[in-house]
């Protein structure tokens, strides 16, 4: 056993897992779905958001199946749904180690594993229940099968490798296909077989990829719409459309439909075309008979559909006249860092920079995964310096695999119009692997004094530490100038020493080389710790001193630690569940009122805002209906179907309102208001005076600080 690997794994476990027990809801959108999936197989199979099986989440179900299994064993808690991603993050470190070691050696494997463990975005994402950590682990597992058996010509392992990409597709759809160029290239270069057999196997592997990828989507789409949930965030109630539209090309183009605004301020009248809905009005039931759910031209943004040109508009009630916050000021005086960048501004609400070839080096994105790109660049020069056409070694082939993973992904994020910072976890494996392989190659050239190549190592130390200083100095007011200046001085000092020792023999020479690498890791390690030291963000995770300052984030997992250089206290925007999740503790007055006045209805209440349902589903295991998916605007129900639900005695209480006007589509809200009786808040909310809602910290009231108020209606027909 490699004893050096053990502390690296322990570091990864700490970065990924420390404090997850402090996060009661994690990403509440997904945790609510897990709570619903625990209730019956119907909800489990479809990854239903609510107890009624009305609408799915906006991603395929595989990761949520795993999270539900963990919740079944350990109980439904924030930490139990995060734990699979923690383990996946640790597993990714181990897979990188075992993939790099056979070809590049022990030192390269250790460096790669350490680099993978300390990529900041990996730590930030792996401590949430977002999908991406599990996605990367699955892609790496497929890559391991590809590496392991290509040299031996094992057909079965190749089929398994491509099949795992299909499994990954059922985690986050087309994002999984980003590594297909690397798979096909490496297979053609490395698989040991005659070309005829190689081509036949490649066709078969592609067929396996397609079958596994589309198995769930085709199955769901083939089921009549009135027997399954509405496909959340889709426009046509189709998984295939969701996969190749909203979760596919829309990520590149950034063009989102406007239906997410339906029923919201500045979004009235957009979307909600329900003319093609089926005629069935059979209501959902808890045992999983399904609900009617067809529709068209309506799309609710998921928790990562808040960027791009329509990002703010999709959050109705918060946007100004032009879809922006008044005077550019975010609520509660929140601000993004206004640092320098290579030709970039904020580039969207969540700070993804401006499109261009240097986007990954801009302030907005560079702190997530780009720290070691200079050493990767120079390391690749060292790796391919001796390349000859007829001398393509295993080192060259594997380096080409990692480059074929890195370059298309980097190109996509350089031009994409719609993504979040945590998507950059896709860059982590190739960066980590090439860092280890490239640094060792430069180390050998330096040691052997191999002409101009010997200079690559000291130059890489200098450029990487300069880049690290560039990233950190933007945050000097928050973390103090000592960190950036210390890394810069140490990097320059180590560079000078390495240059002086280049043509000399000294027993400390190797120690200074190791020190040079550790200096390059000062920034990444500090950033990887920020979700712990400054607080994390469960819905839109990001590393950095302002990583928890996300509009819809929140976790409360951190240990806020000031540096003395600035105030690190972040504004609170929600209740329990951390900043931005807006899921407050169950209001006991609300719960007691609904239970006491329940006269046999199947569902405790229905709501236009899933955040209102979340704590009741998660904490109380209550049966609750969400009327419109993530944004409240999915055409899940028609007014006729609501009428049937009420008449059949399945539900009578409806909560309308929530996030500054996120009240679902206006047709549904108007029907509830027309046929319902408003219940005075003094009867069902804690700490309220008659006829008014309290803005305190208890219960589901105005919420989110934008003036959105929840109203409870009783509907009897």
């Amino acid at each position: 056993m490699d004893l050096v690997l053990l502390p690296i794994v322990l570091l990864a476990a700490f970065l990924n897992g420390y404090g997850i027990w402090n996060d009661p809801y994690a990403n509440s959108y997904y945790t609510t779905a897990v709570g619903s999936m625990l209730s019956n197989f119907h909800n489990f199979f479809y990854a239903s958001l609510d107890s009624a099986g009305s609408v799915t989440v906006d991603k395929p179900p595989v990761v949520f199946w795993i999270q539900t299994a963990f919740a079944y064993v350990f109980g439904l808690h924030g930490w139990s749904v995060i734990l699979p991603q923690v383990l996946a993050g640790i597993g990714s470190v181990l897979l990188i180690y075992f993939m790099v070691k056979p070809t590049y050696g022990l030192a390269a494997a250790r460096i790669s594993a350490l680099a993978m463990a300390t990529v900041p975005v990996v730590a930030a994402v792996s401590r949430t229940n977002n999908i991406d950590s599990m996605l990367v682990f699955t892609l790496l597992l497929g890559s391991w099968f590809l590496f392991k058996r290509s040299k031996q010509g094992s057909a079965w392992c190749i089929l398994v490798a491509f099949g795992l990409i299909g499994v990954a597709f059922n985690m986050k759809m087309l994002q999984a296909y980003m590594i297909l160029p690397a798979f096909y290239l490496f297979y053609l270069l490395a698989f040991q077989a005659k070309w005829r057999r190689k081509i036949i196997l490649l066709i078969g592997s592609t067929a396996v990829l397609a079958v596994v990828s589309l198995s769930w989507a085709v199955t769901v789409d083939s089921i009549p719409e009135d027997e399954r949930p509405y496909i959340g965030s889709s426009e046509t109630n189709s998984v295939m459309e969701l996969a190749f539209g909203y979760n596919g090309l829309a990520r590149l183009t950034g063009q989102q439909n406007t239906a997410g605004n339906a029923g919201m301020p500045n979004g009235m009248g957009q979307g909600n075309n329900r003319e093609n809905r089926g005629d069935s009005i059979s209501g959902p039931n808890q045992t999983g008979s399904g609900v009617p759910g067809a529709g068209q031209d309506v799309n609710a943004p998921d928790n990562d559909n808040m960027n791009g040109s329509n990002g703010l508009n999709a959050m109705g009630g918060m946007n100004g006249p032009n879809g922006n916050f008044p005077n550019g000021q975010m609520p509660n005086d929140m601000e993004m860092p206004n640092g320098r960048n290579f030709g970039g501004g904020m580039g969207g609400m969540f700070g993804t920079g401006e499109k261009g070839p240097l986007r990954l080096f801009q302030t907005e994105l560079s702190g997530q995964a780009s720290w070691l790109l200079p050493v990767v660049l120079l390391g690749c020069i060292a790796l391919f310096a001796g390349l000859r056409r007829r001398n393509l070694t295993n080192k060259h082939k594997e380096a080409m695999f990692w480059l074929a993973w890195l370059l298309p992904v980097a190109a996509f994020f350089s031009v994409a119009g719609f993504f979040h910072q945590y998507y950059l976890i896709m860059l982590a494996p190739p960066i980590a692997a090439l860092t280890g392989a490239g640094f060792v190659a430069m180390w050998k050239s330096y040691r052997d004094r191999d002409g101009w190549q010997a200079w690559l190592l000291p130059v890489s130390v200098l450029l990487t530490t300069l880049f690290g200083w560039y990233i950190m100095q933007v945050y000097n007011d928050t973390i103090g100038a000592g960190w950036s200046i210390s890394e810069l001085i140490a990097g320059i000092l180590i560079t000078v020493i390495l240059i002086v020792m280049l043509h000399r023999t000294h027993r400390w020479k190797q120690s200074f080389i190791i020190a040079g690498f550790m200096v390059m890791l000062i920034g990444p390690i500090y950033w990887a710790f920020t979700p712990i030291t400054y607080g994390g963000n469960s819905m839109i995770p990001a590393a950095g001193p302002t990583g928890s300052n996300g509009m819809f984030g929140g976790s409360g997992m951190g240990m806020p630690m000031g540096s003395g250089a600035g105030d690190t206290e972040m504004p609170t925007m929600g209740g329990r569940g951390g900043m931005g999740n807006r899921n407050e503790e169950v209001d006991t007055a609300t719960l007691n009122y609904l239970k006491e006045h329940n006269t046999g209805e199947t569902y405790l209440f229905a709501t236009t805002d899933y955040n209102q349902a979340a704590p009741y589903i998660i904490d109380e295991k209550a049966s609750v209906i969400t009327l419109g998916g993530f944004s409240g605007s999915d055409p899940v129900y028609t007014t006729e179907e609501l009428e049937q639900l009420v008449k059949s005695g399945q539900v009578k209480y409806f909560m309308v309102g929530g996030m500054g006007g996120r009240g679902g589509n206006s047709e549904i809200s108007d029907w509830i208001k027309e046929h319902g009786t408003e219940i005075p808040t003094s009867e069902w909310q804690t700490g309220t005076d008659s006829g008014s809602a309290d803005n305190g910290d208890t219960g589901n009231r105005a919420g989110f600080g934008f003036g959105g108020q929840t109203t409870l209606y009783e509907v009897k027909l």
Side-chain angles (χ1 to χ4, degrees):
M1 178 179 177
D2 183 5
L3 294 180
V4 177
L5 179 62
L6 180 60
I8 295 175
V9 171
L10 292 176
L11 175 63
F14 183 83
L15 290 172
N16 297 350
Y18 180 82
I20 62 172
W21 49 85
N22 294 323
D23 191 350
Y25 294 133
N27 183 334
S28 61
Y29 180 54
Y30 295 146
T31 308
T32 302
V34 170
S36 299
M37 292 166 70
L38 285 167
S39 62
N40 57 66
F41 180 77
H42 176 271
N43 291 354
F44 175 82
F45 177 75
Y46 292 109
S48 174
L49 176 62
D50 70 343
S51 308
S54 307
V55 59
T56 70
V57 292
D58 58 3
K59 297 294 184 293
V62 168
V63 172
F64 307 119
W65 288 344
I66 297 171
Q67 292 176 2
T68 302
F70 273 71
Y72 181 82
V73 173
F74 299 110
L76 181 58
H77 312 283
W79 67 264
S80 65
V81 295
I82 294 173
L83 185 58
Q85 288 68 240
V86 173
L87 298 176
I90 297 170
S92 296
V93 171
L94 291 171
L95 283 172
I96 286 288
Y97 176 88
F98 288 115
M99 291 175 69
V100 171
K101 182 180 176 182
T103 301
Y104 297 103
L106 183 61
R110 291 170 174 174
I111 291 172
S112 295
L114 180 58
M116 184 69 186
T118 56
V119 173
V121 72
V122 173
V125 177
S126 297
R127 50 192 295 110
T128 73
N129 59 332
N130 287 284
I131 297 166
D132 299 66
S133 180
M134 190 71 70
L135 171 69
V136 166
F137 172 77
T138 305
L139 296 177
L140 279 173
L141 186 61
S143 303
W144 180 81
F145 274 98
L146 184 69
F147 274 33
K148 188 75 173 176
R149 297 302 179 185
S150 287
K151 302 171 188 176
Q152 302 174 8
S154 173
W156 285 108
C157 284
I158 300 301
L159 294 174
V160 170
F162 278 85
L164 283 169
I165 305 304
V167 174
F169 180 90
N170 284 290
M171 294 179 175
K172 210 172 181 188
M173 296 183 163
L174 286 186
Q175 187 171 331
Y177 285 178
M178 283 182 161
I179 72 164
L180 282 181
F183 260 58
Y184 284 118
L185 176 64
F186 186 79
Y187 171 82
L188 293 173
L189 291 175
F191 188 73
Q192 298 298 314
K194 293 182 179 179
W195 275 102
R196 184 174 182 274
R197 179 171 180 260
K198 186 182 291 190
I199 296 300
I200 292 174
L201 181 58
L202 183 63
I203 295 172
S205 299
T206 303
V208 169
L209 169 70
V211 169
V212 176
S213 296
L214 301 179
S215 56
W216 184 79
V218 172
T219 299
V220 172
D221 281 354
S222 66
I223 296 173
E225 293 175 347
D226 60 349
E227 296 179 12
R228 60 168 171 83
Y230 184 87
I231 305 305
S233 296
S234 70
E235 294 188 59
T236 60
N237 197 9
S238 165
V239 180
M240 294 294 287
E241 179 267 317
L242 181 73
F244 294 96
Y246 170 71
N247 282 326
L249 292 179
R251 307 283 168 166
L252 177 64
T253 64
Q255 295 179 352
Q256 298 300 302
N257 63 65
T258 58
N261 294 335
M264 302 180 187
N266 296 337
M268 289 293 194
Q270 302 180 54
N272 283 318
N273 185 335
R274 307 172 61 91
E275 294 177 359
N276 288 352
R277 282 295 303 266
D279 295 331
S280 171
I281 57 174
S282 59
N285 59 63
Q286 196 172 5
T287 60
S289 64
V291 297
Q296 67 177 21
D297 297 337
V298 179
N299 177 27
D302 69 350
N303 53 290
D304 53 25
N305 182 12
M306 294 295 176
N307 205 354
S309 59
N310 292 327
L312 290 172
N313 285 334
M315 293 162 28
M318 295 183 297
N319 45 331
N322 297 317
N324 298 310
F325 293 106
N327 301 319
Q329 180 63 48
M330 296 173 72
N332 292 346
D333 296 322
M334 292 194 304
E335 294 179 356
M336 288 287 206
N338 293 317
R340 300 187 188 98
N341 57 56
F342 294 106
M346 287 312 299
M349 178 182 174
F350 296 104
T352 53
E354 298 294 333
K355 297 178 183 179
L358 296 176
R359 192 181 201 177
L360 295 178
F361 295 92
Q362 294 173 13
T363 296
E364 293 82 10
L365 295 181
S366 56
Q368 303 305 313
S370 303
W371 300 81
L372 298 177
L373 284 178
V375 75
V376 167
L377 173 62
L378 295 175
C380 286
I381 294 175
L383 285 169
F384 290 101
L387 177 63
R388 299 292 182 269
R389 183 177 180 182
R390 297 185 179 275
N391 188 30
L392 196 63
T393 66
N394 287 332
K395 289 184 178 181
H396 295 135
K397 293 175 184 177
E398 292 188 14
M400 291 173 72
F401 171 85
W402 294 116
L403 279 173
W405 180 332
L406 174 65
L407 294 178
V409 175
F412 173 84
F413 289 124
S414 295
V415 300
F418 172 42
F419 69 95
H420 288 298
Q421 294 174 342
Y422 70 89
Y423 289 19
L424 297 181
I425 192 175
M426 288 291 294
L427 295 168
I431 287 176
L434 290 171
T435 294
F439 191 84
V440 168
M442 292 187 293
W443 186 338
K444 291 180 179 178
S445 296
Y446 178 83
R447 181 193 61 196
D448 298 337
R449 301 166 188 170
D450 191 11
W452 63 268
Q453 298 177 44
W455 289 87
L456 292 174
L457 182 65
V459 171
S460 71
V461 173
L462 179 62
L463 291 181
T464 306
T465 52
L466 281 172
F467 186 45
W469 168 84
Y470 159 79
I471 296 173
M472 287 193 290
Q473 55 84 28
V474 174
Y475 302 88
N476 283 348
D477 290 341
T478 302
I479 68 176
W483 286 99
S484 60
I485 294 175
S486 296
E487 176 174 358
L488 180 62
I489 293 175
I492 294 174
L493 181 61
I494 294 293
T495 300
V496 171
I497 293 174
L498 291 176
I499 292 174
V500 170
M501 288 187 170
L502 178 57
H503 297 290
R504 301 181 185 182
T505 301
H506 195 283
R507 61 192 181 97
W508 290 101
K509 194 172 185 177
Q510 181 168 302
S511 298
F512 281 113
I513 294 174
I514 296 173
F517 180 73
M518 297 310 296
V519 167
M520 292 190 293
L521 287 184
I522 290 176
I525 290 176
Y526 186 96
W527 248 239
F529 270 93
T530 55
I532 297 175
T533 56
Y534 289 89
N537 184 315
S538 293
M539 291 197 81
I540 305 179
T546 59
S548 65
N549 201 14
M551 284 293 300
F552 292 88
S555 67
M557 290 186 290
M559 306 182 302
M561 294 172 60
S563 65
D567 183 9
T568 62
E569 182 179 357
M570 310 303 289
T572 58
M573 294 180 59
R576 192 170 172 217
M579 200 177 95
N581 253 346
R582 304 187 300 107
N583 303 118
E584 307 181 28
E585 295 182 8
V586 171
D587 189 329
T588 55
T590 302
L591 181 65
N592 291 336
Y593 179 88
L594 293 171
K595 285 185 174 181
E596 290 173 4
H597 292 80
N598 184 284
T599 54
E601 289 79 17
T602 305
Y603 302 102
L604 192 65
F605 65 93
T607 176
T608 56
D609 184 352
Y610 85 88
N611 283 278
Q612 301 291 354
Y616 295 90
I617 292 176
I618 297 170
D619 291 338
E620 300 297 329
K621 313 300 185 288
S623 296
V624 182
I625 299 175
T626 58
L627 298 174
F630 178 81
S631 71
S633 61
D634 280 333
V636 179
Y637 290 94
T638 63
T639 55
E640 291 80 7
E641 290 163 355
L642 282 189
E643 182 177 348
Q644 182 63 28
L645 281 176
V646 175
K647 286 182 176 180
S648 62
Q650 296 189 61
V651 66
K652 69 177 179 181
Y653 286 109
F654 294 82
M655 286 188 186
V656 177
M659 184 179 122
R662 184 193 339 204
N665 70 73
S666 57
E667 182 184 3
I668 295 297
S669 299
D670 291 344
W671 184 91
I672 294 171
K673 294 173 183 178
E674 178 183 350
H675 293 84
T677 301
E678 181 177 344
I679 309 299
T681 56
S682 59
E683 296 185 18
W684 63 279
Q685 284 188 336
T686 301
T688 58
D689 297 325
S690 179
S692 64
D694 183 15
N695 288 324
D697 294 331
T698 307
N700 294 320
R701 288 177 286 279
F704 208 45
F706 292 97
Q709 180 174 319
T710 300
T711 305
L712 181 66
Y713 292 90
E714 181 181 9
V715 179
K716 292 182 178 180
L717 298 175

